[in-house]
Each structure stands twice: as structure tokens, then as C-alpha cells.
Amino acid sequence: MGDCMIRIFPVGDGFFSSPPSVVGSAVFLAAFAILIPINWWAGMHWNTPIYSLTIVAGLVFEVIGYIGRILLNLDTASVVGFVLYMLGTIMGPTFITSAVYQILPHIVVLYGKEFTLVSQPAYFGVFFMVLDLCTIAFQAAGVAVSISGATPDERTRGLDILLAGLAMQMASIALFLCIYWRFVYKIHHRIYILDATFRDVYLSAKYKMFLLCMQLAAAFILVRTIVRFVSLLEGFDSILNQSQLVALLLDATLVLAACIILIVIPVGAAFGRSWSITSPYCPGDGDANLPLHRRRGRSGPREITPPLPTALPNAYSPRTYNPGTPPQPPTHVNGSPGASRPPYGWAYGKVSQTSPGPSPSAVEYAPRQQLVKHDDIW
């Protein structure tokens, strides 16, 4: 029995060549534990329960992981401690990124149906949810098989399954960032007028800062996942996997930094009441035919921005033009007959009735309806 147990251990008579630092493990355990009630309160206060509970689940797994690391400090051959450490520190970032994925459909709904990348923003949430479930299944199965395998081949197969789960996590985070940056590019190079329904949200400084925090958090967890993947390529006995410095600085610190960044500006504080209104999953009564399945707010049905700015009565712009026919708005954009909305910045007007002289000598344009400035979007 003793010989069989020795063959299971990756190094010597334990899972680590030296006991993990109990001080470092305790510090990170306390830090993750403190963030649990803070995220719980933020979810209840800002009415974002699903998002906050997902982050809380990730924080709980991190706490469990560092409890296992403390058990490994007491006994490097503790199978229970190693299982808790591996599952906790691998599952925790997966749940945190799952919470970040929930933000993307709400962002897409904010700007209007012309800027959607798919027919329904809810598809983003469903797609990433499926990826997360597959990732969790592969990671849990990999840890279980690599620990309980009776032969070296079975343990190696378990490690390969675990690496597949980490690879899926890396791919999902990278895909999320690519979709988000593609959406940002489409907003900056738009040919349509932004939907002004939620302009108070996407023009606020708090919302812009939150988007930056979201990207940093996703990037931190992506780097951490890459480090964990590389450290396990050579097995549990590799130099990187046995290094306490790598485990604390490039693993625990990055995940903790991502969690702190996400709570500095809670998602509910950035979106306000618009978080529930922009949910693409639960359309309100009578709104099932809306293109993005937006729900009605308390103030009544949302107003749709007209295709063209409307002229204000008895109000004219000081800008004057030479006599001639006013320019007409384009009916085709980029050769597409279906795109009938004018480019951003278009204005139209009428001949002034108060111009001096026997005949109208200037064409004055009515002031445009207040739109969104290009430089103030992000």
C-alpha cells in the first residue's frame, strides 16, 4: 500500500517538494473571504443578483482552494488538501469569468439594434454559458482522474483532460475579448445614429471606467490561465507548478486583482436601472416584438430615435450657405439599399423666410437634435 501511494505522489512522498507558505495562503484566503459579503451586498443593493452570485461562487471556490493549500502545508501528502487546492483555484476563476460574460448582452442592447453582432444578444449569454459548463466539466473530471487513477497512464490521461479544460477557458476568454473589441470597432466606425434611449448610461464616466475595469479583469484571468496551463504541461512535478512564487504572484494575485477591480465600480452602479431594462432574456409584456426584446421601464414605453433629426419650429441655425438647392440625405449607404439612415453628423434644413432681399439669399439649416459626440462614447 505504501509503494502504491508513493507512485501516486508527483514528488517524493507528497504533492509538493516543500510545504506551501501558510502565511501567503492565509492572506489570500482572508482577502477572498472579505470580498464575499461585499459582492453579496452589491448584488442586493443594485439588483444584480445573478451576476453577483456568480462572482460569490468563484470567491467561495478560491477560499476552498486556499484552505486546501493550508492543509498541504501541514501535510504535503494530504490527498484531500490537494483536491481542494486544485478544484478551488481552477473553478474560482471560471465562475468569475462567467460573471464577466453576462455583461456583454447588456452592453450590446444599450446602443441600439443597428450595432448588434447577432440577431439576438441573448445568444452571447447562452453560448458562453455552454462553454463554461464544458470547461467546468473537463476541469473537474481531469482533477478527479489524475488523483484517483490507479496507473500512471490513467493519471496522465486525467492531466490531459485538465489541460483541455484550461485550454477551453483560455479560448473562451480570448473569444469574449475579441467579440467585445469588434463591437467597440463597430461603434467607432458607425454609419447609424446611436439610440439615445440609454445615452445617460453610455455617456457617463462611471460606465466608461467600468468597461475598462471589465477588460482588465478578463485580461488578468486570461494571463493567470495561461500560466496555470503552461505550469501543468510537464506534469504536477514541473518546476513552475512546484514554485510558490509563481503560485502566489502569477495565480493568486492576478485573480484577486481581477475581483477587486470588478467591485471597485459594481456593474449595478455603472448601469443603474438600465441593467434590468437591457436584459435580453426576460421581455416585458407587449415588448416581445421589439428587435432586442427590451423591457419597458417604469416611465413607460421607450422612445425610438427618429431616422432623421427633426427641425425645431421657429428656430434656425446661424450657419448660412450660398443660394442653391439644400443637399438631400443619402438613401443608400455603402451601396446597400436597405440602409436608409444617414451617417452620423448629417443635418438637413429649409430656406429661410426671414432672409433680407427680394428673394431668399441664404439657406439656413435647422439645428440638429442633440446627438452623441463621437469622442464621448468610450
Side-chain angles (χ1 to χ4, degrees), residues 111-117 186 192-195 292 341:
Y111 295 91
K113 64 184 181 63
E114 292 85 359
F115 302 97
T116 56
L117 303 177
K186 190 172 183 180
Y192 298 104
I193 300 174
L194 287 176
D195 190 339
L292 296 181
R341 302 188 73 177

Side-chain angles (χ1 to χ4, degrees), residues 104 108 114-118 124 174-190 215 378:
L104 184 60
V108 172
E114 292 85 359
F115 302 97
T116 56
L117 303 177
V118 294
F124 287 124
L175 181 61
F176 167 80
L177 291 175
C178 289
I179 292 176
Y180 172 77
W181 290 331
R182 175 67 180 87
F183 181 75
V184 172
Y185 177 85
K186 190 172 183 180
I187 290 292
H188 278 289
H189 295 77
R190 66 188 185 277
Q215 297 174 72
W378 296 97

Side-chain angles (χ1 to χ4, degrees), residues 160-324:
D160 293 338
I161 296 174
L162 176 58
L163 290 173
L166 291 173
M168 292 181 64
Q169 185 177 358
M170 288 189 297
S172 63
I173 299 174
L175 181 61
F176 167 80
L177 291 175
C178 289
I179 292 176
Y180 172 77
W181 290 331
R182 175 67 180 87
F183 181 75
V184 172
Y185 177 85
K186 190 172 183 180
I187 290 292
H188 278 289
H189 295 77
R190 66 188 185 277
I191 60 174
Y192 298 104
I193 300 174
L194 287 176
D195 190 339
T197 305
F198 301 105
R199 62 179 177 272
D200 292 338
V201 177
Y202 57 70
L203 290 181
S204 65
K206 187 177 295 185
Y207 173 78
K208 299 172 187 177
M209 184 62 66
F210 170 77
L211 292 181
L212 178 60
C213 293
M214 179 194 68
Q215 297 174 72
L216 287 176
F220 284 166
I221 297 181
L222 177 61
V223 173
R224 171 261 165 202
T225 308
I226 293 174
V227 172
R228 178 61 71 93
F229 180 84
V230 173
S231 65
L232 290 176
L233 276 178
E234 300 297 329
F236 293 110
D237 58 344
S238 65
I239 297 176
L240 286 177
N241 190 58
Q242 295 293 321
S243 173
Q244 296 190 35
L245 187 64
V246 171
L248 294 179
L249 291 183
L250 297 180
D251 193 325
T253 302
L254 291 179
V255 177
L256 180 61
C259 295
I260 294 175
I261 287 174
L262 289 176
I263 200 58
V264 168
I265 301 180
V267 65
F271 281 80
R273 288 177 51 200
S274 300
W275 176 260
S276 59
I277 299 175
T278 56
S279 174
Y281 306 104
C282 304
D285 296 337
D287 286 347
N289 294 326
L290 290 180
L292 296 181
H293 284 186
R294 287 179 179 163
R295 295 188 297 175
R296 293 178 178 176
R298 296 181 181 178
S299 59
R302 69 186 184 96
E303 297 179 357
I304 306 298
T305 304
L308 292 175
T310 56
L312 300 179
N314 300 325
Y316 298 96
S317 169
R319 179 183 300 176
T320 59
Y321 294 86
N322 294 327

Side-chain angles (χ1 to χ4, degrees), residues 50-62 64 87-102 128-129 131-133 135-137 139-140 169 172-173 221 224-225 255 259 262:
I50 298 178
Y51 170 85
S52 297
L53 286 177
T54 308
I55 292 186
V56 167
L59 294 172
V60 169
F61 271 106
E62 289 290 340
I64 292 173
L87 284 179
T89 56
I90 289 178
M91 296 288 189
T94 304
F95 277 90
I96 294 170
T97 53
S98 179
V100 174
Y101 298 155
Q102 298 175 23
F128 284 108
M129 185 183 300
L131 279 182
D132 286 334
L133 291 176
T135 299
I136 291 173
Q139 291 174 348
Q169 185 177 358
S172 63
I173 299 174
I221 297 181
R224 171 261 165 202
T225 308
V255 177
C259 295
L262 289 176

